[in-house]
Amino acid sequence: MKNLFLFFLFISFYTTAQDTSLSYYLPAEDYNSNIPTPKEIIGHEVGEWHITHDKLVTYMKALAASSNRISLENRGKTYEGRPLLLLTITSPENHTNIEEIRKNHIAATNDASLSIDHPIVVYQGFSIHGNEPSGSNAALAVAYYLAASKSQATEDLLKNTVILFDPSFNPDGLQRFAYWANTNRSKNINPDPNDREYSEIWPRGRTNHYQFDMNRDWLPVQLPESKARIATFHQWLPNILTDHHEMGSNSSFFFQPGIPSRTNPLTPQTNQDLTREIATYHAKALDKIGSMYYSEESFDDFYYGKGSTFPDINGSIGILFEQASSRGHAQETTNGILTFPFTIRNQVTAAFSTLEAAHKMRLKILKYQQDFYKESRNTGSKSAIVFGDEKDAAKTFHLAEVLKRHQIKIHEVKNDFTQNGKKFKKGYSYIVPMNQKNHRLVKAMFDVRTTFKDSLFYDVSAWTFNHAFGVDYAENVSLSKAGNEITNLELKKGAVSFKSDYGYLMPWNEFYAPKALHAILQKGLRAKVSMKNFKNGANSYEYGTIFIPVQNQKLETAALYTFLNKVAKESYITIHGVTTGLNEGIDLGSNNFRAITKPKVAMIVGDGVAGNDSGEIWHLFDQRFDMPITRLDTRNFNRIDIAKYTHIVIPSSGLEKSIITKLQTWVKNGGVLVGYKNTARWLASNKMINIKFKTATRDSITSVSFENRSLQSGAQVIGGAIFEAKLDRSHPINFGYKENTLALFRNTTLFMQADKNSYNNPIQYTQTPLLSGYISKENAKVIPNTVPFKVGRLGRGRVIVFTDNTNFRAFWFGTNKLLMNTIFFGDKM
């Protein structure tokens, strides 16, 4: 007992006596007294408290106001309205002609004969995961040093370097986590990992407002924070980009290269060689302060949507830093007590070692970038790729929008044409020439790969954009088919064809059709859905077409036309007026047009529910379709009256059994329950839906060593690959799709057996389903002809499950419609 008392006495003394003075982080030098220290502006030392984003902004503004080495710009705002700041840090002389420096830097990437004797450009970004805060807190000390240091070495550095300084990649997440850590901080800091300070509440601060992991969005560029940083990246084409993260508390410090066998083969070997040379500067700096570290043993450079890998396909060098996390102010670990200031100091040290490497390797790295683009220009083919969807202009537009954000040149289609059996329609398709500067990036975006050096992936193994967006695609297209280059990309305008006294037909193919239908139902108007194909006049209509009759509506004829025209414009769709209900096929008065009920949708969130999956669903409803979705927290679920909801969505989860009886009663009374991923197994185990699962049988291998045992099991994971399924388009789940096959993203090993009745398998994997990505040979034997979707009846309601996320990371536009079909047509399945 005495020893225990002495231990806690030591802990109390140790943790309240943490060194948070600037001298702990920065070298002993002469500093400009006119530059305010962080404490003078934010009221506390770096690392004493977790910096909130508002205070971080205040300090960066103060630095910019007091230093002629720093300029500051606000590039936009987050979903929560926080500014997306960028500091440009360089010598005062460079600031006087900064635009000329930028132009010269870009010019050298376009012309290999130009001199490269100009400043090197380094983009330093911090804490893209908000609950990995040592990066943004280190930004305080690093920015102060670069503004205030009077050393000759600093002046030389700034003369030859332009630093693009992003103090917080994720303002909303950083603010959320800082609030948690600070409100749970004790005066006598308690490093016990069981303390509440180290256990954030759901959904935690890692993600942004809509719970997206923004370190997966560098390539898709769907979020406002990503759009700002990608614009900066392409404006400057930095030579080095650093991405400061944290990892498990019992680790040390990681810097790249990652595991060599997990480098994307499209990345030049010289990139990895330079990364390895830069690593020697990190090692030297960390040796000096006695910090442990490692390299080349974990993480990878495969998925180009991560901050440390995206630069590698753009002639730059991406560097990941991973610091063991205190997850608060101090925590006991296997390496002793890990303090927050210590984590900050390592990030500060790595930031400085990067700048030292950039300065000393300047000409070598600039030459690498110039050679990268020279080779890129010389190896681009004289043909093009084309993508489009002749019935969905909006979805196609959004893929073109991604390319434009990456400064990739795109052209309109000169005239309609067919290639490889696919029709590419003018106004619905885009051509991308491959003889352009960024053709390597284009290749990476549409890359198809099914064989790999390694069977383990830190992230997804496939992201092929034509599959993700569900568009038709062809390669080796003649440039003669290209029309004018598109400089101003615009969504196709919507309208109603004419005012009708009978009714209106709205095809379900367009991406924003669900937005339009929701607006119509919200207005209290009646609408019906076609369960069969038909033809009205000269126009053919497919399954899922929406019919809005004119008679017996709450709006008179003229007002209805005006309202629908507004809806069409806001949803970028065409609504067709009709003059008769007599059709080829089913008539408009047929019982094969089923009335649609206005949905009232809820989603279960909170502890036990996957935050990313629920955030992506929330974002889809709120941002894409302007549809409300009520989020029911698991803590309160048993106290909520759920009878008023028509649909309840459960993202991937491991919920408690206590809520199952309530859900069963609700479904039996007519509710539609939609479950994703692990929820499918949970629903099946609780007898709410009948599912037979298939499991891969691992081949017996006797030659695996103890050292490599984890690799054998890890190879069975589907980290993220793309598979082909065949569709029964007459089933309501597939309304709006024009093809008989669909590319589906999958990152689970949930395999559901098909039903013996084929009509109960409206989505079914083909016999050889792998389109792109990695799957083990054991899982590859199981997946053919299984189903990723099932629907079961329970009383008057429906239970619908998907084995995988149909809304993955906001850029899987091609399968967003599946969830919307469950919402509007689930009771008809």
Side-chain angles (χ1 to χ4, degrees):
M1 190 71 179
K2 180 179 178 182
N3 289 339
L4 188 62
F5 172 78
L6 290 175
F7 171 76
F8 280 112
L9 182 67
F10 165 74
I11 293 299
S12 176
F13 171 78
Y14 183 86
T15 55
T16 55
Q18 296 181 68
D19 187 0
T20 57
S21 64
L22 281 174
S23 61
Y24 179 66
Y25 308 107
L26 304 179
E29 294 180 7
D30 190 15
Y31 291 92
N32 184 344
S33 60
N34 293 322
I35 305 299
T37 65
K39 184 177 182 180
E40 289 171 340
I41 301 299
I42 65 175
H44 61 81
E45 297 283 6
V46 175
E48 183 180 0
W49 295 87
H50 282 251
I51 191 68
T52 56
H53 188 260
D54 53 341
K55 286 186 174 182
L56 183 65
V57 169
T58 299
Y59 183 63
M60 295 304 161
K61 287 181 177 179
L63 277 184
S66 60
S67 173
N68 59 2
R69 295 174 175 176
I70 296 178
S71 66
L72 182 146
E73 63 177 300
N74 180 6
R75 300 168 295 169
K77 60 184 180 181
T78 68
Y79 284 119
E80 295 179 14
R82 294 190 172 85
L84 298 167
L85 296 186
L86 182 76
L87 283 68
T88 301
I89 307 176
T90 190
S91 69
E93 296 76 18
N94 286 343
H95 270 297
T96 62
N97 64 335
I98 193 69
E99 181 58 15
E100 184 179 351
I101 290 173
R102 187 193 69 81
K103 288 180 177 178
N104 289 339
H105 178 75
I106 297 298
T109 66
N110 296 323
D111 186 345
S113 67
L114 294 179
S115 169
I116 55 170
D117 191 10
H118 53 251
I120 191 170
V121 182
V122 180
Y123 193 132
Q124 294 190 295
F126 301 91
S127 298
I128 201 165
H129 296 144
N131 62 357
E132 299 177 6
S134 58
S136 285
N137 283 266
L140 294 165
V142 175
Y144 167 75
Y145 178 86
L146 294 172
S149 171
K150 296 171 70 174
S151 72
Q152 187 61 49
T154 301
E155 291 187 4
D156 290 343
L157 168 71
L158 296 178
K159 179 181 178 181
N160 291 286
T161 311
V162 173
I163 303 164
L164 306 173
F165 197 84
D166 198 330
S168 175
F169 273 146
N170 182 1
D172 294 347
L174 182 74
Q175 185 81 9
R176 190 159 65 246
F177 179 74
Y179 168 81
W180 176 263
N182 290 338
T183 55
N184 286 285
R185 180 189 188 274
S186 301
K187 181 185 76 171
N188 297 298
I189 295 171
N190 183 358
D192 186 342
N194 295 319
D195 189 78
R196 188 170 189 262
E197 180 179 351
Y198 311 109
S199 299
E200 291 176 81
I201 58 172
W202 191 95
R204 296 175 285 279
R206 176 182 177 88
T207 55
N208 76 342
H209 175 78
Y210 283 102
Q211 300 158 218
F212 282 90
D213 183 337
M214 292 194 301
N215 195 38
R216 305 300 187 267
D217 195 41
W218 290 77
L219 203 58
V221 204
Q222 296 299 308
L223 307 171
E225 302 91 339
S226 309
K227 294 172 187 176
R229 66 175 182 258
I230 290 300
T232 298
F233 184 94
H234 288 298
Q235 181 186 23
W236 273 96
L237 289 181
N239 300 98
I240 298 174
L241 185 145
T242 61
D243 192 12
H244 294 253
H245 288 252
E246 291 182 359
M247 54 183 169
S249 300
N250 291 320
S251 301
S252 58
F253 190 88
F254 169 86
F255 49 81
Q256 286 181 306
I259 296 176
S261 62
R262 299 180 197 169
T263 300
N264 195 300
L266 296 177
T267 298
Q269 180 58 44
T270 306
N271 172 286
Q272 294 296 287
D273 296 339
L274 290 170
T275 303
R276 193 167 285 105
E277 184 175 349
I278 293 170
T280 63
Y281 288 84
H282 308 320
K284 180 181 177 182
L286 291 167
D287 285 342
K288 189 176 294 186
I289 62 173
S291 288
M292 296 187 294
Y293 56 84
Y294 70 100
S295 185
E296 298 192 56
E297 294 180 38
S298 60
F299 302 100
D300 63 40
D301 284 310
F302 190 81
Y303 172 47
Y304 287 123
K306 295 187 302 173
S308 58
T309 313
F310 173 77
D312 297 343
I313 197 62
N314 286 282
S316 305
I317 299 167
I319 300 177
L320 170 68
F321 296 119
E322 292 275 357
Q323 164 61 47
S325 180
S326 64
R327 287 288 186 262
H329 290 85
Q331 192 172 162
E332 298 167 14
T333 74
T334 57
N335 295 316
I337 294 175
L338 178 65
T339 69
F340 187 41
F342 179 83
T343 69
I344 295 170
R345 186 175 66 162
N346 280 347
Q347 299 279 24
V348 170
T349 301
F352 288 152
S353 62
T354 300
L355 294 175
E356 182 186 8
H359 186 208
K360 292 183 177 178
M361 298 171 61
R362 179 174 65 92
L363 293 178
K364 182 186 295 187
I365 295 174
L366 286 168
K367 184 67 165 60
Y368 163 71
Q369 185 182 60
Q370 191 176 51
D371 290 345
F372 176 94
Y373 283 109
K374 177 184 177 181
E375 184 180 350
S376 183
R377 287 191 301 273
N378 291 339
T379 56
S381 71
K382 301 303 181 183
S383 64
I385 64 170
V386 62
F387 61 86
D389 185 324
E390 62 175 313
K391 295 186 178 180
D392 192 345
K395 181 179 65 176
T396 309
F397 163 87
H398 285 301
L399 175 50
E401 190 177 39
V402 174
L403 296 175
K404 291 293 286 184
R405 286 182 185 134
H406 287 299
Q407 295 192 0
I408 293 167
K409 295 178 181 180
I410 61 175
H411 292 248
E412 62 183 20
V413 171
K414 186 184 299 183
N415 296 298
D416 297 357
F417 71 94
T418 300
Q419 185 149 337
N420 299 340
K422 303 294 183 181
K423 183 178 180 180
F424 297 98
K425 187 177 177 182
K426 185 176 181 179
Y428 291 77
S429 304
Y430 301 92
I431 284 183
V432 185
M434 294 303 286
N435 59 341
Q436 60 175 297
K437 180 178 181 177
N438 281 342
H439 93 268
R440 280 179 166 174
L441 181 58
V442 176
K443 186 176 180 180
M445 294 174 73
F446 293 92
D447 189 39
V448 172
R449 197 170 298 274
T450 56
T451 58
F452 303 86
K453 287 184 179 180
D454 204 314
S455 58
L456 298 183
F457 299 87
Y458 184 70
D459 199 73
V460 298
S461 63
W463 52 88
T464 314
F465 273 65
N466 53 296
H467 293 321
F469 282 77
V471 295
D472 295 327
Y473 173 82
E475 298 178 343
N476 301 316
V477 176
S478 170
L479 289 173
S480 65
K481 298 184 184 300
N484 295 328
E485 182 181 350
I486 298 172
T487 55
N488 185 27
L489 187 66
E490 293 182 337
L491 272 165
K492 198 174 185 65
K493 290 180 171 57
V496 176
S497 61
F498 63 85
K499 186 175 73 171
S500 172
D501 293 323
Y502 191 89
Y504 299 91
L505 293 171
M506 181 178 76
W508 193 244
N509 306 92
E510 280 284 353
F511 182 79
Y512 287 108
K515 178 180 178 178
L517 179 56
H518 175 260
I520 291 166
L521 297 175
Q522 277 291 98
K523 192 69 173 177
L525 299 172
R526 294 185 301 108
K528 295 185 175 185
V529 60
S530 168
M531 304 299 290
K532 291 190 175 183
N533 295 334
F534 64 96
K535 187 175 182 180
N536 182 283
N539 295 323
S540 296
Y541 295 91
E542 298 180 341
Y543 306 105
T545 298
I546 307 301
F547 173 48
I548 306 105
V550 170
Q551 300 304 315
N552 199 23
Q553 296 280 19
K554 66 180 293 184
L555 295 179
E556 296 299 326
T557 302
L560 177 62
Y561 168 74
T562 300
F563 174 74
L564 290 179
N565 205 44
K566 178 176 179 290
V567 168
K569 288 179 179 178
E570 292 175 349
S571 303
Y572 314 103
I573 63 172
T574 298
I575 297 177
H576 304 280
V578 296
T579 58
T580 178
L582 186 64
N583 297 329
E584 289 184 30
I586 59 171
D587 295 326
L588 296 185
S590 167
N591 287 334
N592 281 299
F593 279 90
R594 306 277 180 85
I596 305 169
T597 304
K598 182 178 74 173
K600 189 172 181 59
V601 186
M603 175 171 60
I604 297 180
V605 301
D607 292 340
V609 177
N612 291 137
D613 290 354
S614 63
E616 288 155 7
I617 293 169
W618 178 25
H619 177 270
L620 181 71
F621 275 76
D622 197 35
Q623 288 289 330
R624 296 266 164 84
F625 296 132
D626 289 336
M627 293 172 59
I629 182 168
T630 302
R631 288 166 296 148
L632 309 176
D633 198 290
T634 53
R635 295 173 301 168
N636 308 318
F637 185 79
N638 286 324
R639 299 196 297 271
I640 296 172
D641 179 9
I642 61 173
K644 63 180 178 180
Y645 303 109
T646 61
H647 296 69
I648 294 178
V649 181
I650 310 180
S652 185
S653 60
L655 298 177
E656 295 181 1
K657 193 170 183 177
S658 61
I659 73 171
I660 200 71
T661 301
K662 189 171 186 176
L663 285 172
Q664 284 175 332
T665 300
W666 174 81
V667 173
K668 287 177 181 178
N669 288 332
V672 176
L673 183 64
V674 183
Y676 279 96
K677 298 169 70 171
N678 290 334
T679 302
R681 194 179 291 280
W682 180 76
L683 291 169
S685 67
N686 285 284
K687 311 300 182 185
M688 288 193 69
I689 187 171
N690 182 25
I691 302 175
K692 293 182 180 179
F693 293 98
K694 297 180 69 175
T695 304
T697 302
R698 191 183 305 175
D699 294 341
S700 178
I701 301 175
T702 58
S703 60
V704 177
S705 67
F706 180 82
E707 176 186 16
N708 293 324
R709 68 196 186 284
S710 63
L711 301 182
Q712 184 185 11
S713 59
Q716 302 307 313
V717 172
I718 301 176
I722 306 171
F723 299 87
E724 182 184 58
K726 56 186 179 181
L727 304 183
D728 172 0
R729 292 195 290 129
S730 71
H731 194 286
I733 192 62
N734 296 321
F735 283 179
Y737 287 99
K738 71 179 182 65
E739 301 292 345
N740 294 323
T741 59
L742 182 66
L744 294 166
F745 176 83
R746 163 178 278 272
N747 62 355
T748 72
T749 52
L750 283 174
F751 302 111
M752 299 190 300
Q753 288 187 21
D755 191 89
K756 62 181 180 180
N757 296 313
S758 60
Y759 52 79
N760 288 330
N761 305 314
I763 309 175
Q764 186 172 18
Y765 289 119
T766 60
Q767 182 62 37
T768 54
L770 182 63
L771 293 173
S772 186
Y774 170 80
I775 185 172
S776 70
K777 62 180 182 180
E778 293 88 350
N779 287 326
K781 293 177 182 178
V782 176
I783 191 172
N785 302 314
T786 60
V787 294
F789 163 86
K790 268 187 179 292
V791 57
R793 295 193 176 198
L794 187 63
R796 292 189 292 111
R798 303 289 188 277
V799 177
I800 298 170
V801 297
F802 295 94
T803 60
D804 287 271
N805 183 358
T806 59
N807 317 291
F808 186 64
R809 291 179 182 169
F811 81 103
W812 216 267
F813 279 73
T815 51
N816 284 163
K817 193 175 263 94
L818 294 176
L819 176 56
M820 290 298 107
N821 286 348
T822 70
I823 301 303
F824 291 108
F825 317 130
D827 59 343
K828 298 163 182 57
M829 295 180 184

